[in-house]
Amino acid sequence: MFELRYEEYLDWHTSAHKGFLSPALTTALRLVEELLDHRIDSVDRGRFRISTSRVKSAQRSFAKLNREKYVSQINALDDVPETIDDLVGLRLICNNLSDINTFQEIIGELPIESSTTSQSLAVEHDSHRDYFASPKPSGYRAYHVNLVVPVPQMKGNRRVRVEVQARTLLQDGWGELTHEDTYKPGSTVPEWIVGMSLRMAELLAAVDNIAQDLRTGLDVEAQRSVREVDSPPIEAAVAFVANGDEAAVIPTECEDVSRSTLNDGTAGVPKRDRDAEIKAALISETATAVRNLRKPVALAVLSQQLTLVFGTEITQVWANFGGFKHFLESVAPEAELSGPAPGYIHPPNTPIPDGWTTEDTGTGVVPGIARELRTYDKALPLIGPERLDQVILAVANVLQTLKPSHAPASNLSVSEIDTLARQARSDAEKRSQLVVRPHARYVLQVANRAGRILPTTSADDLRKILLDRILKMGEFNDLISKSSNTEQEVREWLGLEPAPTPNQERDS
């Protein structure tokens, strides 16, 4: 057996730190930040923050390597990077649970590590560990995944593993307050301290769920606040648009307009009352936010961001313009607005790109109804039809392995659904496909509600179950008009045949 000596290990660690561990950390930080910048709306980007990053010290990594689990795996010092996967690590803090799901989806877009990914960021095979679904005995909750980054060397790129830990704000607070390292293998902690720590973790997990409900409620209200108002403004609407150090007064067209009278006789200077000041600040902040856009952003997202800054009463300001869309058209006429309802705003002076509604998670267009429902159902996958098909097939394959005598029609527990989701991910990886557990879990949960967790449930059955849920949720939330072709769009997304027309039904 190889004998690991500290002096020799310290020399190896010093060389490795300079040669590839520290460069891997720098590369991972840059690539993960770029990935988040590309995939997350600018107004939501602050919900995702890399709080810490480090190369594990020689002392701590040496102690870990001497645990029984690892010591037998080392035959030479060069085996160390393959033996422990957290020599390099990042910690990502997200505001709440839906942000964790978003991060998992973003990671799910990356390729699985293979011989063809040597030049790009990739995910290590079967490295996902979801401690939100299955917390550790200590109460620890987080999502872990290993990324593999390329580090240039004299003889080509060296692939280095980097562990990413994603936590909510509250769970990160738990880790800081309880010094979570105390509970790692080999530590000795009094039972009463372990019990208190676990109690705190459970309480914070409950608060995380409340925070998620609050976030969903705020998103729903934001959607409602930006619904198009077809009638013209009923009150005076004067926009004070900031332009450098000056303010331009832009009256809007409306019936029965009573324009503000300037109190000091100076043309172009608005009356300095409180309402005018708030209105001017709101318009200035909105114009700035629009100028800083780098990609299309949902109007509801922008509306919510402004509401968080100025308070709910600012909705009265854009109500005077006839609705939030009209408000944006007055404040930022150089930015295009487009559907699907309630709409998106595009970066100023930028033509709407062809296929902009195509999600980055796969080829093909995600239907507008799915994007709208994401406000109400945070777990609904916003992925292209190709990747959605991979999820459905993986889940169907797992269901077929169930024994009829042990296959419940419904009422699976959270842990049972998560076990099946894990199996679906493994099934996809056998075909070099990356199905993330939140997507598989969603399909399984919908099938569970429908009482179809059965070995006889086929991929087409799952598609129809998903279609039924999406249409019912859309109708319940008043998101589907009678004249829309929503059903056909969803059918195409799910890979189902078009619904028969009334004429076809009569002919049959």
Short mmCIF file of all heavy atoms in Angstrom, two decimals, residues 183 189-200:
data_model
loop_
_atom_site.label_atom_id
_atom_site.label_comp_id
_atom_site.label_asym_id
_atom_site.label_seq_id
_atom_site.Cartn_x
_atom_site.Cartn_y
_atom_site.Cartn_z
N TYR A 183 -19.35 18.82 11.45
CA TYR A 183 -20.12 17.59 11.34
C TYR A 183 -19.60 16.65 10.26
O TYR A 183 -20.26 15.70 9.90
CB TYR A 183 -21.60 17.93 11.05
CG TYR A 183 -22.13 18.95 12.03
CD1 TYR A 183 -22.42 20.24 11.63
CD2 TYR A 183 -22.32 18.61 13.35
CE1 TYR A 183 -22.88 21.18 12.53
CE2 TYR A 183 -22.78 19.54 14.26
CZ TYR A 183 -23.06 20.82 13.84
OH TYR A 183 -23.50 21.75 14.74
N VAL A 189 -18.85 15.41 18.03
CA VAL A 189 -19.66 16.53 18.49
C VAL A 189 -20.72 16.00 19.45
O VAL A 189 -21.32 14.96 19.20
CB VAL A 189 -20.37 17.23 17.29
CG1 VAL A 189 -21.20 18.40 17.77
CG2 VAL A 189 -19.34 17.68 16.28
N PRO A 190 -20.94 16.68 20.58
CA PRO A 190 -21.98 16.24 21.51
C PRO A 190 -23.35 16.14 20.83
O PRO A 190 -23.69 16.96 19.97
CB PRO A 190 -21.98 17.34 22.58
CG PRO A 190 -20.60 17.93 22.51
CD PRO A 190 -20.21 17.86 21.06
N GLU A 191 -24.11 15.15 21.25
CA GLU A 191 -25.42 14.91 20.63
C GLU A 191 -26.34 16.11 20.72
O GLU A 191 -27.11 16.39 19.80
CB GLU A 191 -26.08 13.69 21.26
CG GLU A 191 -25.52 12.35 20.81
CD GLU A 191 -25.72 12.13 19.31
OE1 GLU A 191 -26.81 12.48 18.80
OE2 GLU A 191 -24.79 11.63 18.67
N TRP A 192 -26.27 16.84 21.83
CA TRP A 192 -27.20 17.97 21.98
C TRP A 192 -26.90 19.06 20.97
O TRP A 192 -27.81 19.75 20.49
CB TRP A 192 -27.17 18.51 23.41
CG TRP A 192 -25.92 19.25 23.79
CD1 TRP A 192 -24.80 18.72 24.35
CD2 TRP A 192 -25.67 20.64 23.66
NE1 TRP A 192 -23.86 19.68 24.57
CE2 TRP A 192 -24.37 20.89 24.16
CE3 TRP A 192 -26.41 21.72 23.17
CZ2 TRP A 192 -23.79 22.16 24.17
CZ3 TRP A 192 -25.85 22.99 23.19
CH2 TRP A 192 -24.56 23.20 23.68
N ILE A 193 -25.62 19.23 20.61
CA ILE A 193 -25.27 20.23 19.60
C ILE A 193 -25.76 19.78 18.22
O ILE A 193 -26.31 20.57 17.45
CB ILE A 193 -23.75 20.46 19.59
CG1 ILE A 193 -23.32 21.15 20.89
CG2 ILE A 193 -23.34 21.29 18.37
CD1 ILE A 193 -21.85 21.45 20.97
N VAL A 194 -25.58 18.49 17.94
CA VAL A 194 -26.08 17.95 16.67
C VAL A 194 -27.59 18.13 16.57
O VAL A 194 -28.12 18.52 15.53
CB VAL A 194 -25.70 16.46 16.53
CG1 VAL A 194 -26.33 15.86 15.27
CG2 VAL A 194 -24.19 16.29 16.49
N GLY A 195 -28.29 17.86 17.69
CA GLY A 195 -29.74 18.01 17.69
C GLY A 195 -30.19 19.44 17.48
O GLY A 195 -31.13 19.71 16.72
N MET A 196 -29.52 20.39 18.13
CA MET A 196 -29.85 21.80 17.95
C MET A 196 -29.59 22.25 16.52
O MET A 196 -30.38 22.99 15.92
CB MET A 196 -29.02 22.65 18.91
CG MET A 196 -29.39 22.50 20.38
SD MET A 196 -30.92 23.35 20.80
CE MET A 196 -30.34 25.04 20.83
N SER A 197 -28.49 21.79 15.96
CA SER A 197 -28.15 22.15 14.57
C SER A 197 -29.19 21.62 13.60
O SER A 197 -29.62 22.31 12.67
CB SER A 197 -26.77 21.61 14.22
OG SER A 197 -26.47 21.85 12.87
N LEU A 198 -29.60 20.37 13.81
CA LEU A 198 -30.60 19.77 12.93
C LEU A 198 -31.93 20.51 13.06
O LEU A 198 -32.62 20.75 12.06
CB LEU A 198 -30.78 18.29 13.29
CG LEU A 198 -31.82 17.52 12.47
CD1 LEU A 198 -31.47 17.55 10.98
CD2 LEU A 198 -31.91 16.07 12.95
N ARG A 199 -32.28 20.88 14.28
CA ARG A 199 -33.53 21.63 14.49
C ARG A 199 -33.50 22.96 13.73
O ARG A 199 -34.47 23.35 13.09
CB ARG A 199 -33.73 21.86 15.98
CG ARG A 199 -35.01 22.61 16.32
CD ARG A 199 -35.09 22.88 17.81
NE ARG A 199 -36.24 23.70 18.16
CZ ARG A 199 -36.41 24.28 19.33
NH1 ARG A 199 -35.50 24.12 20.28
NH2 ARG A 199 -37.48 25.01 19.57
N MET A 200 -32.36 23.65 13.79
CA MET A 200 -32.22 24.91 13.07
C MET A 200 -32.35 24.69 11.57
O MET A 200 -33.00 25.47 10.86
CB MET A 200 -30.88 25.57 13.39
CG MET A 200 -30.68 26.92 12.69
SD MET A 200 -29.01 27.59 12.90
CE MET A 200 -29.01 27.88 14.65
#
